[in-house]
Amino acid sequence: MTNAMNKCSATETAACCCVDVGTVMDNSDCTASWSEWFAQRSEAEAKLAILSERARQIESDPCIIDARFEEVNNGVQLTIDFTFACQAETLIFQLGLR
């Protein structure tokens, strides 16, 4: 039987095999991307407004919202990049979309 504490790496706490947050979240990925197809542009614009409001509720500094509308298959493909000030905000936003 192997001891679980012996499997911990140097960046983990041996007592619980917990990983230091800095090894998981290093602020290298602060952009959350989202995309969906809509039959009407008005539906896509409404969704953009809803997601933008969610981002505004999370942001500490202004979130950069880059939205693109593309006419595809008799509808509209909405693609949005939300760039937050830190990776924690990005993660909170992504989890809120699930």
Side-chain angles (χ1 to χ4, degrees):
M1 182 176 213
T2 30
N3 184 341
M5 287 182 166
N6 292 335
K7 293 182 179 182
C8 295
S9 73
T11 58
E12 296 173 334
T13 304
C16 65
C17 284
C18 298
V19 177
D20 178 49
V21 172
T23 63
V24 177
M25 296 174 52
D26 60 2
N27 271 346
S28 63
D29 184 11
C30 296
T31 301
S33 298
W34 185 91
S35 185
E36 188 173 329
W37 180 88
F38 295 89
Q40 306 272 331
R41 185 177 175 108
S42 60
E43 294 170 332
E45 289 171 347
K47 187 65 171 190
L48 173 59
I50 290 167
L51 293 177
S52 295
E53 178 58 29
R54 282 189 188 175
R56 298 293 177 222
Q57 291 172 357
I58 295 167
E59 67 187 5
S60 59
D61 288 329
C63 175
I64 298 168
I65 301 172
D66 178 26
R68 297 170 303 284
F69 297 90
E70 183 181 355
E71 301 295 325
V72 178
N73 298 329
N74 296 322
V76 176
Q77 183 74 35
L78 171 60
T79 303
I80 316 168
D81 292 328
F82 298 89
T83 303
F84 291 90
C86 68
Q87 192 171 2
E89 293 173 350
T90 305
L91 182 60
I92 292 166
F93 180 76
Q94 290 171 323
L95 290 172
L97 294 177
R98 294 177 183 223

Coordinates of all heavy atoms in Angstrom, one line a residue:
M1 N 0.8 -1.2 0.0 CA 0.0 0.0 0.0 C 0.9 1.2 0.0 O 1.7 1.4 0.8 CB -0.9 0.0 1.2 CG -1.9 1.1 1.3 SD -2.9 0.8 2.8 CE -4.4 1.5 2.2
T2 N 0.7 2.1 -0.9 CA 1.5 3.3 -1.0 C 0.9 4.5 -0.2 O -0.3 4.6 -0.1 CB 1.6 3.8 -2.5 OG1 0.5 3.5 -3.2 CG2 2.9 3.4 -3.1
N3 N 1.7 5.3 0.3 CA 1.3 6.4 1.1 C 1.0 7.6 0.2 O 1.9 8.0 -0.6 CB 2.4 6.8 2.1 CG 2.1 7.9 3.0 OD1 1.1 8.6 2.8 ND2 2.8 8.0 4.1
A4 N -0.2 8.1 0.2 CA -0.6 9.2 -0.7 C 0.2 10.4 -0.5 O 0.5 11.2 -1.4 CB -2.1 9.6 -0.4
M5 N 0.7 10.7 0.7 CA 1.6 11.8 1.0 C 2.9 11.8 0.2 O 3.4 12.8 -0.2 CB 1.8 12.0 2.5 CG 0.7 12.5 3.3 SD 1.3 12.6 4.9 CE 0.2 13.5 5.8
N6 N 3.4 10.6 0.0 CA 4.6 10.5 -0.8 C 4.5 10.8 -2.2 O 5.5 11.0 -2.9 CB 5.2 9.1 -0.6 CG 5.7 8.8 0.8 OD1 6.0 9.7 1.6 ND2 5.7 7.5 1.2
K7 N 3.3 10.8 -2.8 CA 3.0 11.1 -4.2 C 3.0 12.6 -4.4 O 2.9 13.0 -5.6 CB 1.7 10.5 -4.6 CG 1.8 9.0 -4.6 CD 0.4 8.5 -5.1 CE 0.5 6.9 -5.2 NZ -0.8 6.4 -5.7
C8 N 3.0 13.5 -3.4 CA 2.9 14.9 -3.6 C 4.2 15.4 -4.2 O 5.3 15.0 -3.9 CB 2.7 15.6 -2.3 SG 1.1 15.2 -1.6
S9 N 4.1 16.4 -5.1 CA 5.2 17.0 -5.7 C 5.7 18.2 -4.8 O 5.0 18.5 -3.8 CB 4.9 17.6 -7.1 OG 4.1 18.7 -7.0
A10 N 6.8 18.8 -5.2 CA 7.4 19.9 -4.4 C 6.4 21.1 -4.2 O 6.5 21.8 -3.2 CB 8.7 20.3 -5.0
T11 N 5.6 21.3 -5.2 CA 4.7 22.5 -5.1 C 3.4 22.1 -4.4 O 2.5 23.0 -4.3 CB 4.4 23.0 -6.5 OG1 3.8 22.0 -7.3 CG2 5.6 23.5 -7.2
E12 N 3.2 21.0 -3.9 CA 2.0 20.6 -3.2 C 2.3 20.5 -1.7 O 3.4 20.3 -1.2 CB 1.6 19.2 -3.7 CG 1.2 19.2 -5.1 CD 0.9 17.8 -5.6 OE1 1.4 16.8 -5.0 OE2 0.1 17.6 -6.6
T13 N 1.3 20.7 -0.9 CA 1.4 20.6 0.5 C 1.2 19.1 0.9 O 0.2 18.5 0.6 CB 0.2 21.4 1.2 OG1 0.3 22.8 0.7 CG2 0.4 21.4 2.7
A14 N 2.2 18.6 1.6 CA 2.2 17.2 1.9 C 1.1 16.7 2.7 O 0.6 15.6 2.7 CB 3.5 16.8 2.5
A15 N 0.5 17.6 3.6 CA -0.5 17.2 4.5 C -1.8 16.8 3.8 O -2.5 16.0 4.2 CB -0.8 18.4 5.4
C16 N -2.1 17.4 2.6 CA -3.3 17.1 2.0 C -3.2 16.9 0.5 O -4.2 16.8 -0.2 CB -4.4 18.2 2.3 SG -3.9 19.8 1.6
C17 N -2.0 17.0 -0.1 CA -1.8 16.9 -1.5 C -2.5 18.0 -2.2 O -3.0 17.9 -3.3 CB -2.1 15.6 -2.1 SG -0.9 14.3 -1.7
C18 N -2.6 19.2 -1.6 CA -3.2 20.4 -2.2 C -2.1 21.0 -3.1 O -1.0 21.1 -2.7 CB -3.7 21.3 -1.1 SG -4.9 20.6 -0.1
V19 N -2.6 21.6 -4.2 CA -1.7 22.3 -5.1 C -1.8 23.8 -4.8 O -2.8 24.4 -4.6 CB -2.1 22.0 -6.6 CG1 -1.2 22.8 -7.5 CG2 -2.0 20.6 -6.8
D20 N -0.6 24.5 -4.8 CA -0.6 25.9 -4.6 C -1.3 26.6 -5.8 O -1.1 26.2 -6.9 CB 0.9 26.4 -4.5 CG 1.0 27.9 -4.4 OD1 0.3 28.4 -3.5 OD2 1.8 28.5 -5.2
V21 N -2.2 27.5 -5.5 CA -3.0 28.2 -6.5 C -2.1 28.8 -7.6 O -2.4 28.7 -8.8 CB -3.9 29.2 -5.9 CG1 -4.6 30.0 -7.0 CG2 -4.9 28.6 -5.0
G22 N -0.9 29.3 -7.2 CA 0.0 29.9 -8.2 C 0.5 28.9 -9.3 O 0.9 29.3 -10.3
T23 N 0.5 27.6 -9.0 CA 0.9 26.6 -10.0 C -0.2 26.3 -11.0 O 0.1 25.7 -12.0 CB 1.4 25.3 -9.3 OG1 0.3 24.7 -8.6 CG2 2.6 25.6 -8.4
V24 N -1.4 26.6 -10.6 CA -2.6 26.3 -11.5 C -3.0 27.6 -12.2 O -3.2 27.6 -13.4 CB -3.8 25.8 -10.7 CG1 -5.0 25.6 -11.6 CG2 -3.4 24.5 -10.0
M25 N -3.0 28.7 -11.5 CA -3.5 30.0 -12.1 C -2.3 30.9 -12.1 O -2.0 31.5 -11.0 CB -4.7 30.5 -11.3 CG -5.9 29.6 -11.4 SD -7.3 30.1 -10.4 CE -7.4 31.8 -10.9
D26 N -1.7 31.2 -13.2 CA -0.5 32.1 -13.2 C -0.8 33.4 -14.0 O 0.1 34.0 -14.4 CB 0.7 31.3 -13.8 CG 0.4 30.8 -15.2 OD1 -0.7 31.1 -15.8 OD2 1.3 30.2 -15.8
N27 N -2.1 33.7 -14.3 CA -2.5 34.8 -15.0 C -2.0 34.8 -16.5 O -1.9 35.9 -17.1 CB -2.1 36.1 -14.4 CG -3.1 36.6 -13.4 OD1 -4.2 36.2 -13.4 ND2 -2.7 37.6 -12.5
S28 N -1.7 33.7 -17.0 CA -1.3 33.6 -18.4 C -2.5 33.4 -19.4 O -2.4 33.7 -20.5 CB -0.3 32.4 -18.6 OG -1.0 31.2 -18.3
D29 N -3.7 33.1 -18.8 CA -4.8 32.9 -19.7 C -6.0 33.7 -19.1 O -6.7 33.2 -18.2 CB -5.2 31.4 -19.7 CG -6.4 31.2 -20.7 OD1 -6.8 32.1 -21.4 OD2 -6.9 30.0 -20.7
C30 N -6.2 34.9 -19.5 CA -7.2 35.8 -19.0 C -8.4 36.0 -20.0 O -9.2 36.9 -19.8 CB -6.6 37.1 -18.6 SG -5.4 37.0 -17.3
T31 N -8.4 35.2 -21.0 CA -9.5 35.4 -22.0 C -10.4 34.1 -22.1 O -9.9 33.0 -22.1 CB -8.8 35.6 -23.4 OG1 -8.0 36.8 -23.4 CG2 -9.9 35.8 -24.5
A32 N -11.6 34.4 -22.0 CA -12.7 33.3 -22.2 C -13.3 33.6 -23.5 O -13.8 34.7 -23.8 CB -13.7 33.4 -21.0
S33 N -13.4 32.5 -24.3 CA -14.0 32.7 -25.6 C -15.3 31.9 -25.6 O -15.5 30.9 -25.0 CB -13.1 32.1 -26.7 OG -11.9 32.8 -26.8
W34 N -16.3 32.4 -26.4 CA -17.6 31.9 -26.4 C -18.2 32.0 -27.8 O -18.0 33.1 -28.5 CB -18.5 32.6 -25.4 CG -19.9 32.0 -25.3 CD1 -20.3 31.0 -24.4 CD2 -21.1 32.4 -26.0 NE1 -21.7 30.8 -24.6 CE2 -22.1 31.6 -25.6 CE3 -21.3 33.3 -27.1 CZ2 -23.4 31.7 -26.1 CZ3 -22.6 33.4 -27.6 CH2 -23.6 32.6 -27.1
S35 N -18.9 31.0 -28.4 CA -19.5 31.1 -29.7 C -20.8 30.3 -29.8 O -20.9 29.3 -29.2 CB -18.4 30.5 -30.7 OG -18.9 30.7 -32.0
E36 N -21.7 30.9 -30.6 CA -23.0 30.2 -30.8 C -23.6 30.7 -32.1 O -23.4 31.9 -32.4 CB -23.9 30.4 -29.6 CG -25.2 29.6 -29.7 CD -26.0 29.7 -28.4 OE1 -25.5 29.9 -27.3 OE2 -27.3 29.6 -28.5
W37 N -24.4 29.8 -32.7 CA -25.1 30.2 -33.9 C -26.6 30.6 -33.5 O -27.2 30.0 -32.7 CB -25.2 29.0 -34.9 CG -25.9 29.3 -36.2 CD1 -25.4 29.8 -37.3 CD2 -27.3 29.1 -36.4 NE1 -26.4 30.0 -38.3 CE2 -27.5 29.5 -37.8 CE3 -28.3 28.5 -35.7 CZ2 -28.8 29.4 -38.3 CZ3 -29.6 28.5 -36.2 CH2 -29.8 28.9 -37.6
F38 N -27.1 31.6 -34.2 CA -28.4 32.1 -34.0 C -29.2 32.3 -35.3 O -28.5 32.6 -36.3 CB -28.4 33.5 -33.3 CG -27.8 33.4 -31.9 CD1 -26.5 33.6 -31.7 CD2 -28.6 33.2 -30.8 CE1 -25.9 33.5 -30.4 CE2 -28.1 33.1 -29.5 CZ -26.8 33.3 -29.3
A39 N -30.5 32.0 -35.3 CA -31.3 32.2 -36.5 C -31.4 33.7 -36.9 O -31.5 34.0 -38.1 CB -32.6 31.5 -36.3
Q40 N -31.5 34.5 -35.9 CA -31.7 36.0 -36.1 C -30.6 36.8 -35.4 O -30.1 36.4 -34.3 CB -33.0 36.4 -35.4 CG -34.2 35.6 -35.9 CD -34.8 36.2 -37.1 OE1 -34.7 37.4 -37.3 NE2 -35.5 35.4 -37.9
R41 N -30.2 37.9 -36.1 CA -29.1 38.7 -35.5 C -29.6 39.3 -34.1 O -28.8 39.5 -33.2 CB -28.7 39.8 -36.4 CG -27.6 40.7 -35.9 CD -27.1 41.7 -36.8 NE -26.1 42.6 -36.2 CZ -24.8 42.5 -36.4 NH1 -24.3 41.7 -37.4 NH2 -24.0 43.3 -35.8
S42 N -30.9 39.6 -34.0 CA -31.4 40.2 -32.8 C -31.3 39.2 -31.6 O -31.0 39.7 -30.5 CB -32.9 40.6 -33.0 OG -33.7 39.4 -33.3
E43 N -31.4 37.9 -31.9 CA -31.1 36.9 -30.8 C -29.7 36.9 -30.4 O -29.4 36.9 -29.2 CB -31.5 35.5 -31.3 CG -33.0 35.3 -31.6 CD -33.3 34.0 -32.3 OE1 -32.4 33.5 -33.0 OE2 -34.4 33.5 -32.1
A44 N -28.8 37.1 -31.3 CA -27.4 37.1 -31.1 C -27.0 38.4 -30.3 O -26.2 38.3 -29.3 CB -26.5 37.1 -32.4
E45 N -27.6 39.5 -30.6 CA -27.4 40.7 -29.9 C -27.9 40.7 -28.5 O -27.3 41.2 -27.6 CB -28.0 41.9 -30.7 CG -27.2 42.2 -32.0 CD -28.0 43.2 -32.8 OE1 -29.2 43.5 -32.6 OE2 -27.3 43.7 -33.8
A46 N -29.0 40.0 -28.3 CA -29.6 39.8 -26.9 C -28.7 39.0 -26.1 O -28.4 39.3 -24.9 CB -31.0 39.2 -27.0
K47 N -28.1 37.9 -26.7 CA -27.2 37.1 -25.9 C -25.9 37.8 -25.6 O -25.4 37.7 -24.5 CB -26.9 35.8 -26.8 CG -26.1 34.8 -26.0 CD -26.9 34.2 -24.8 CE -26.2 33.0 -24.2 NZ -27.0 32.3 -23.2
L48 N -25.4 38.6 -26.5 CA -24.2 39.4 -26.3 C -24.5 40.4 -25.1 O -23.6 40.5 -24.2 CB -23.8 40.2 -27.5 CG -22.7 41.3 -27.3 CD1 -21.4 40.6 -26.9 CD2 -22.5 42.0 -28.6
A49 N -25.6 41.0 -25.0 CA -26.0 41.9 -23.9 C -26.0 41.1 -22.6 O -25.5 41.6 -21.6 CB -27.3 42.5 -24.2
I50 N -26.6 39.9 -22.6 CA -26.6 39.1 -21.3 C -25.2 38.7 -20.9 O -24.9 38.9 -19.7 CB -27.5 37.8 -21.6 CG1 -29.0 38.2 -21.7 CG2 -27.3 36.8 -20.4 CD1 -29.9 37.1 -22.3
L51 N -24.4 38.2 -21.8 CA -23.1 37.8 -21.4 C -22.2 39.0 -21.0 O -21.4 38.9 -20.1 CB -22.4 37.0 -22.6 CG -23.1 35.6 -22.9 CD1 -22.4 35.0 -24.1 CD2 -23.0 34.7 -21.6
S52 N -22.4 40.1 -21.7 CA -21.6 41.3 -21.3 C -22.0 41.8 -19.9 O -21.1 42.1 -19.1 CB -21.9 42.4 -22.3 OG -21.4 42.1 -23.6
E53 N -23.2 41.7 -19.6 CA -23.7 42.1 -18.2 C -23.0 41.1 -17.2 O -22.6 41.6 -16.1 CB -25.2 42.1 -18.1 CG -25.7 42.4 -16.7 CD -25.2 43.8 -16.2 OE1 -25.0 44.7 -17.0 OE2 -25.1 43.9 -14.9
R54 N -23.0 39.8 -17.5 CA -22.4 38.9 -16.6 C -20.9 39.2 -16.4 O -20.4 39.2 -15.3 CB -22.5 37.4 -17.1 CG -23.8 36.8 -16.9 CD -23.7 35.3 -17.3 NE -25.0 34.7 -17.3 CZ -25.2 33.5 -17.6 NH1 -24.2 32.7 -18.1 NH2 -26.4 33.0 -17.6
A55 N -20.2 39.5 -17.4 CA -18.8 39.9 -17.4 C -18.6 41.2 -16.5 O -17.7 41.2 -15.7 CB -18.2 40.1 -18.8
R56 N -19.5 42.1 -16.7 CA -19.4 43.4 -15.9 C -19.6 43.1 -14.4 O -19.0 43.9 -13.6 CB -20.4 44.4 -16.4 CG -20.2 44.8 -17.9 CD -18.9 45.6 -18.1 NE -18.7 45.9 -19.5 CZ -17.6 45.8 -20.1 NH1 -16.5 45.4 -19.5 NH2 -17.5 46.1 -21.4
Q57 N -20.4 42.1 -14.1 CA -20.6 41.8 -12.7 C -19.4 41.2 -12.0 O -19.2 41.3 -10.8 CB -21.8 40.9 -12.5 CG -23.1 41.6 -12.9 CD -24.3 40.6 -12.9 OE1 -24.1 39.4 -12.7 NE2 -25.5 41.1 -13.1
I58 N -18.5 40.6 -12.8 CA -17.3 39.9 -12.3 C -16.1 40.8 -12.3 O -15.2 40.7 -11.5 CB -17.1 38.6 -13.2 CG1 -18.3 37.6 -12.9 CG2 -15.8 37.9 -12.8 CD1 -18.3 36.5 -13.9
E59 N -16.0 41.6 -13.3 CA -14.7 42.4 -13.6 C -14.3 43.2 -12.4 O -15.1 43.8 -11.7 CB -14.9 43.3 -14.8 CG -15.9 44.4 -14.6 CD -16.2 45.2 -15.9 OE1 -15.7 44.8 -16.9 OE2 -16.9 46.2 -15.7
S60 N -13.0 43.3 -12.2 CA -12.4 44.3 -11.2 C -12.0 45.5 -11.9 O -12.2 46.6 -11.5 CB -11.3 43.6 -10.4 OG -10.2 43.2 -11.3
D61 N -11.3 45.3 -13.1 CA -11.0 46.3 -14.0 C -11.8 46.0 -15.3 O -12.3 44.9 -15.4 CB -9.5 46.3 -14.4 CG -8.6 46.8 -13.2 OD1 -9.1 47.6 -12.5 OD2 -7.5 46.3 -13.1
P62 N -12.0 47.0 -16.1 CA -12.9 46.8 -17.3 C -12.5 45.6 -18.1 O -11.3 45.4 -18.5 CB -12.8 48.1 -18.1 CG -12.5 49.1 -17.1 CD -11.6 48.4 -16.1
C63 N -13.4 44.7 -18.3 CA -13.3 43.5 -19.2 C -13.3 44.0 -20.7 O -14.2 44.8 -21.0 CB -14.4 42.5 -18.9 SG -14.4 41.1 -20.0
I64 N -12.4 43.5 -21.5 CA -12.4 43.9 -22.9 C -13.3 42.8 -23.6 O -13.0 41.6 -23.5 CB -11.0 43.9 -23.5 CG1 -10.1 44.9 -22.8 CG2 -11.0 44.1 -25.0 CD1 -8.6 44.8 -23.1
I65 N -14.3 43.3 -24.2 CA -15.3 42.4 -24.9 C -15.2 42.6 -26.4 O -15.5 43.7 -26.9 CB -16.7 42.6 -24.4 CG1 -16.8 42.4 -22.9 CG2 -17.7 41.7 -25.1 CD1 -18.1 42.8 -22.2
D66 N -14.7 41.6 -27.1 CA -14.6 41.6 -28.5 C -15.6 40.7 -29.2 O -15.4 39.5 -29.1 CB -13.1 41.2 -28.9 CG -12.9 41.2 -30.4 OD1 -13.6 41.9 -31.1 OD2 -12.0 40.4 -30.9
A67 N -16.7 41.2 -29.7 CA -17.7 40.5 -30.3 C -17.7 40.5 -31.8 O -17.5 41.6 -32.4 CB -19.1 40.9 -29.8
R68 N -17.9 39.4 -32.4 CA -17.9 39.3 -33.9 C -19.2 38.6 -34.4 O -19.5 37.5 -33.9 CB -16.6 38.6 -34.4 CG -15.4 39.4 -34.0 CD -14.1 38.6 -34.3 NE -14.0 37.3 -33.7 CZ -13.7 37.1 -32.4 NH1 -13.5 38.1 -31.6 NH2 -13.5 35.9 -31.9
F69 N -19.8 39.2 -35.3 CA -21.0 38.6 -35.9 C -20.7 38.2 -37.3 O -20.2 39.0 -38.1 CB -22.2 39.7 -36.0 CG -22.7 40.1 -34.6 CD1 -22.1 41.2 -34.0 CD2 -23.7 39.5 -34.0 CE1 -22.5 41.7 -32.8 CE2 -24.1 39.9 -32.7 CZ -23.5 41.0 -32.1
E70 N -21.0 37.0 -37.7 CA -20.7 36.5 -39.1 C -21.9 35.8 -39.6 O -22.5 35.0 -39.0 CB -19.5 35.5 -39.0 CG -19.1 35.0 -40.4 CD -17.9 34.0 -40.3 OE1 -17.4 33.8 -39.2 OE2 -17.6 33.4 -41.3
E71 N -22.3 36.2 -40.8 CA -23.5 35.6 -41.5 C -23.1 34.2 -41.9 O -22.2 34.0 -42.7 CB -23.9 36.4 -42.7 CG -24.3 37.9 -42.4 CD -25.5 38.0 -41.5 OE1 -26.5 37.2 -41.7 OE2 -25.6 38.9 -40.7
V72 N -23.8 33.2 -41.4 CA -23.4 31.8 -41.7 C -24.7 30.9 -41.7 O -25.6 31.1 -40.8 CB -22.5 31.2 -40.5 CG1 -22.2 29.7 -40.8 CG2 -21.2 32.0 -40.4
N73 N -24.8 30.1 -42.7 CA -26.0 29.1 -42.8 C -27.3 29.8 -42.5 O -28.1 29.3 -41.7 CB -25.7 28.0 -41.9 CG -24.5 27.2 -42.2 OD1 -24.1 27.1 -43.3 ND2 -23.8 26.6 -41.2
N74 N -27.6 30.9 -43.2 CA -28.9 31.6 -43.1 C -29.1 32.0 -41.6 O -30.3 32.0 -41.2 CB -30.1 30.7 -43.6 CG -30.0 30.4 -45.0 OD1 -29.6 31.3 -45.8 ND2 -30.3 29.2 -45.4
G75 N -28.1 32.3 -40.9 CA -28.2 32.8 -39.6 C -26.9 33.6 -39.2 O -26.3 34.1 -40.1
V76 N -26.7 33.8 -37.9 CA -25.6 34.6 -37.5 C -24.8 33.8 -36.5 O -25.3 33.2 -35.5 CB -26.1 35.9 -36.8 CG1 -25.0 36.7 -36.2 CG2 -26.9 36.7 -37.8
Q77 N -23.5 33.7 -36.7 CA -22.5 33.1 -35.8 C -22.0 34.3 -34.9 O -21.4 35.2 -35.4 CB -21.4 32.4 -36.5 CG -20.4 31.7 -35.6 CD -21.0 30.4 -35.0 OE1 -21.8 29.7 -35.7 NE2 -20.7 30.1 -33.8
L78 N -22.2 34.2 -33.6 CA -21.7 35.1 -32.7 C -20.5 34.5 -32.0 O -20.6 33.5 -31.4 CB -22.7 35.5 -31.6 CG -22.3 36.4 -30.5 CD1 -21.7 37.7 -31.0 CD2 -23.4 36.6 -29.5
T79 N -19.3 35.2 -32.1 CA -18.1 34.8 -31.4 C -17.7 35.9 -30.5 O -17.6 37.1 -31.0 CB -17.0 34.4 -32.4 OG1 -17.5 33.4 -33.3 CG2 -15.8 33.9 -31.7
I80 N -17.4 35.6 -29.2 CA -17.0 36.7 -28.3 C -15.8 36.3 -27.5 O -15.7 35.1 -27.1 CB -18.1 37.0 -27.3 CG1 -19.5 37.1 -27.9 CG2 -17.8 38.3 -26.5 CD1 -20.7 37.1 -26.9
D81 N -14.9 37.2 -27.4 CA -13.7 37.0 -26.5 C -13.8 38.0 -25.3 O -14.0 39.2 -25.6 CB -12.4 37.2 -27.2 CG -12.1 36.2 -28.3 OD1 -12.5 35.0 -28.1 OD2 -11.5 36.5 -29.3
F82 N -13.8 37.5 -24.1 CA -13.9 38.3 -22.9 C -12.5 38.2 -22.3 O -12.1 37.2 -21.8 CB -14.9 37.7 -21.9 CG -16.3 37.7 -22.4 CD1 -16.8 36.6 -23.1 CD2 -17.2 38.7 -22.2 CE1 -18.1 36.5 -23.6 CE2 -18.5 38.7 -22.7 CZ -18.9 37.6 -23.4
T83 N -11.8 39.4 -22.2 CA -10.5 39.4 -21.6 C -10.6 40.2 -20.3 O -10.8 41.4 -20.3 CB -9.5 40.1 -22.6 OG1 -9.4 39.4 -23.8 CG2 -8.1 40.0 -22.0
F84 N -10.3 39.4 -19.2 CA -10.4 40.0 -17.9 C -9.1 40.4 -17.4 O -8.0 40.1 -18.0 CB -11.0 38.9 -16.9 CG -12.4 38.6 -17.2 CD1 -12.8 37.6 -18.1 CD2 -13.5 39.3 -16.6 CE1 -14.2 37.3 -18.3 CE2 -14.8 39.0 -16.8 CZ -15.1 38.0 -17.7
A85 N -9.0 41.1 -16.3 CA -7.8 41.6 -15.7 C -7.0 40.5 -15.1 O -5.8 40.7 -15.0 CB -8.1 42.7 -14.6
C86 N -7.6 39.4 -14.6 CA -6.9 38.3 -14.0 C -7.6 37.0 -14.4 O -8.7 36.9 -14.7 CB -6.7 38.5 -12.5 SG -8.3 38.4 -11.6
Q87 N -6.8 35.9 -14.2 CA -7.3 34.6 -14.6 C -8.4 34.1 -13.7 O -9.3 33.4 -14.1 CB -6.1 33.6 -14.6 CG -6.4 32.3 -15.2 CD -5.2 31.4 -15.3 OE1 -4.1 31.8 -15.0 NE2 -5.4 30.3 -15.9
A88 N -8.4 34.6 -12.4 CA -9.5 34.2 -11.5 C -10.8 34.7 -12.0 O -11.8 33.9 -12.0 CB -9.2 34.7 -10.1
E89 N -10.9 35.9 -12.5 CA -12.1 36.4 -13.0 C -12.6 35.6 -14.3 O -13.7 35.3 -14.4 CB -12.0 37.9 -13.4 CG -11.8 38.8 -12.2 CD -11.5 40.2 -12.5 OE1 -11.2 40.5 -13.7 OE2 -11.5 41.0 -11.6
T90 N -11.6 35.2 -15.1 CA -11.9 34.4 -16.3 C -12.5 33.1 -15.9 O -13.5 32.7 -16.4 CB -10.6 34.2 -17.1 OG1 -10.0 35.4 -17.4 CG2 -10.9 33.5 -18.4
L91 N -11.9 32.5 -14.9 CA -12.4 31.2 -14.4 C -13.8 31.3 -13.8 O -14.7 30.5 -14.1 CB -11.4 30.6 -13.4 CG -11.8 29.2 -12.8 CD1 -11.8 28.2 -13.9 CD2 -10.8 28.9 -11.7
I92 N -14.1 32.4 -13.0 CA -15.4 32.6 -12.4 C -16.4 32.8 -13.6 O -17.5 32.2 -13.5 CB -15.4 33.8 -11.5 CG1 -14.5 33.5 -10.3 CG2 -16.8 34.2 -11.1 CD1 -14.2 34.7 -9.4
F93 N -16.1 33.5 -14.6 CA -17.0 33.8 -15.7 C -17.3 32.4 -16.4 O -18.4 32.1 -16.7 CB -16.4 34.8 -16.7 CG -17.2 35.1 -17.9 CD1 -18.3 35.9 -17.7 CD2 -16.9 34.6 -19.1 CE1 -19.1 36.2 -18.9 CE2 -17.7 34.8 -20.2 CZ -18.8 35.6 -20.1
Q94 N -16.2 31.7 -16.7 CA -16.4 30.4 -17.4 C -17.3 29.4 -16.6 O -18.1 28.8 -17.2 CB -15.0 29.8 -17.7 CG -14.3 30.5 -18.8 CD -12.9 30.0 -18.9 OE1 -12.2 29.7 -17.9 NE2 -12.4 30.0 -20.1
L95 N -17.1 29.4 -15.3 CA -17.9 28.5 -14.5 C -19.3 28.9 -14.5 O -20.2 28.1 -14.4 CB -17.3 28.4 -13.1 CG -16.0 27.7 -12.9 CD1 -15.4 27.8 -11.5 CD2 -16.1 26.2 -13.3
G96 N -19.6 30.2 -14.5 CA -20.9 30.7 -14.6 C -21.7 30.4 -15.9 O -22.9 30.5 -15.9
L97 N -20.9 30.1 -16.9 CA -21.6 29.7 -18.2 C -22.1 28.3 -18.2 O -22.8 27.9 -19.1 CB -20.6 30.0 -19.3 CG -20.2 31.4 -19.6 CD1 -19.1 31.4 -20.7 CD2 -21.4 32.3 -19.9
R98 N -21.6 27.5 -17.3 CA -22.0 26.1 -17.3 C -23.3 25.8 -16.7 O -23.9 26.5 -16.0 CB -20.9 25.3 -16.5 CG -19.6 25.3 -17.3 CD -18.6 24.7 -16.5 NE -17.3 24.9 -17.3 CZ -16.5 23.9 -17.6 NH1 -16.6 22.7 -17.1 NH2 -15.4 24.2 -18.3

